[in-house]
Amino acid sequence: ARPRVVVVGGGAGGATAARYIAKDSDGAIDVTLIEPSRAYYTCFFSNLYLGGFREIDSLAHSYGTLAADYGINVVHDWAVGVDRDAKTVALAGGASLPYDRLILSPGIDFVDGSVAGWDLSAQNAMPHAYKGGSQTELLKAQVMAMPEGGTFAMVAPPNPYRCPPGPYERVSMVAHLLKEVNPTAKILIADPKEAFSKQGLFEEGWATHYPGMIERVGPEMGGADISVDPQAMTLTIDGEATPVDVCNVIPAMKAGRIAEIAGVTDGNWAPVNAADLSSKIDPSIHVLGDSAAQGDMPKSGFSANSQAKVCANAVRGALTGSTVFPARFSNTCWSLIDTDDGVKVGATYEATEEKIARVDGFISQTGESAELRAATYQESIGWYDGITADMFG
Ligand code: FAD
């Protein structure tokens, strides 16, 4: 019988891993991909949808090509259990799937109680929009419905979380939209972090494009001591309640719940070996993307895709004896601050005994020319098209 690989999660990491294992093994490995959604809406570029630079449909990707062209058995269901002794995955629909290798790339879930007053039952009143699709559409509809001169509030997450520049790109895109439709509106960020990704670049851009619109309250001013009231629509910072019109609550994050159910987490995340993304707890299980505690890579779609290719190569080697190449990883996170004002940060990485370790990096500089910023934005559009084709075929 052919060796069996089961992949849980058809997002950035899981779709890439499934595709590369199926493509490169030429039918020698039986690949099953478990994913509840029929369409995957990328979080990457969802901020551009908020800003009016993309249509929501342009963020959706389906699994037809993975099934038809790569022979992947795509199962639309939830994985609800993992029996590590029997090496089987239980699905919500009742099926049990055996595996030789299990790859988990379930993204993130939220840490219960991390924002006082908020839980998942409040996500309609105060959306997180930190998983793709309907939450993103809801947040945009709420911004569009803000009263003239109203307040958009964001509760920013503590480290580590997916897409370090994501909340700040979102602020930029909401500001871009408000400047057009509601120019006297204000943006208030409560932030538990001292500093954030590309801070100098964002602050320069906000001062240039959106002067006076954005206020960030860091931990020294009480930004870590907050609560929300979704009924009253208030954000309380350091004991002082402010009425807000939209409240984007981005809670603390942890590995997707199935990683915890499988017993491969230690605390909030799943520790893995850098060379093949295998779990430090169970060598038959690999954990990719946001869920993995892997070392120096930020949690991003680019990182998940890069890790998935290394993992796919190692899994094929282990199951069929094919050549395994030394692990190399890379990541770039682009952000759009305003029309044609794109910035980026990125690095390359290698596998050490201990972790995925950063080798070398680069970051956009303040004061760059408009031409360079426009070229950086164009580069990000090419990246989106390329990477989604690399994931979904
Ligand atoms: P995901 O892509 O989230 O995939 C997880 C999948 O697993 C989901 O489809 C889910 O349905 C499925 N799943 C979960 N549990 C189960 C289960 N029990 N059974 C079956 N399936 C399950 N990254 C970038 O590289 N560039 C960017 O510009 C960028 N911008 C971002 C902007 C925002 C606003 C956000 C929120 C994120 C952004 N990211 C960006 C980060 C990127 O989206 C994530 O890091 C990436 O999607 C992680 O991939 P993943 O495979 O770990 O998880």
Side-chain angles (χ1 to χ4, degrees), residues 8-14 34-36 40 43-44 46-47 77-79 105-107 130 162-163 170 258 288-290 299-302 304 334 383:
V8 173
I34 304 166
E35 164 60 50
Y40 175 81
C43 283
F44 27 110
S46 65
N47 289 327
D77 204 343
W78 287 96
S105 196
Y130 236 67
R162 63 170 24 168
C163 196
R170 174 171 294 169
I258 191 68
L288 308 177
D290 293 350
K299 298 183 187 300
S300 76
F302 198 135
W334 286 270
W383 167 78

Side-chain angles (χ1 to χ4, degrees), residues 56-132:
I56 193 79
D57 291 347
S58 76
L59 306 179
H61 303 272
S62 61
Y63 296 94
T65 306
L66 293 182
D69 293 2
Y70 298 96
I72 295 167
N73 178 26
V74 179
V75 178
H76 290 301
D77 204 343
W78 287 96
V80 292
V82 175
D83 183 332
R84 280 170 28 203
D85 296 326
K87 289 193 177 175
T88 55
V89 179
L91 304 189
S96 170
L97 300 178
Y99 64 81
D100 295 297
R101 291 292 172 116
L102 175 62
I103 298 175
L104 301 178
S105 196
I108 51 109
D109 274 305
F110 300 117
V111 176
D112 289 338
S114 72
V115 175
W118 192 94
D119 64 25
L120 267 189
S121 71
Q123 71 168 5
N124 257 48
M126 294 188 167
H128 51 81
Y130 236 67
K131 296 189 181 192

Side-chain angles (χ1 to χ4, degrees), residues 271-336:
V272 294
N273 296 301
D276 60 359
L277 285 302
S278 61
S279 162
K280 289 193 171 166
I281 295 166
D282 182 336
S284 302
I285 299 181
H286 301 250
V287 186
L288 308 177
D290 293 350
S291 285
Q294 33 71 22
D296 296 347
M297 296 187 85
K299 298 183 187 300
S300 76
F302 198 135
S303 295
N305 169 266
S306 181
Q307 293 160 17
K309 289 189 246 190
V310 167
C311 174
N313 182 249
V315 165
R316 278 199 312 117
L319 296 178
T320 67
S322 63
T323 311
V324 178
F325 300 103
R328 292 257 181 284
F329 307 87
S330 58
N331 177 62
T332 303
C333 287
W334 286 270
S335 302
L336 187 61

Side-chain angles (χ1 to χ4, degrees), residues 183-208:
T184 55
K186 294 273 181 274
I187 297 179
L188 172 64
I189 311 165
D191 202 331
K193 301 182 295 298
E194 299 278 336
F196 61 89
S197 174
K198 292 187 274 201
Q199 184 163 357
L201 296 166
F202 280 114
E203 288 177 346
E204 176 194 52
W206 294 347
T208 307

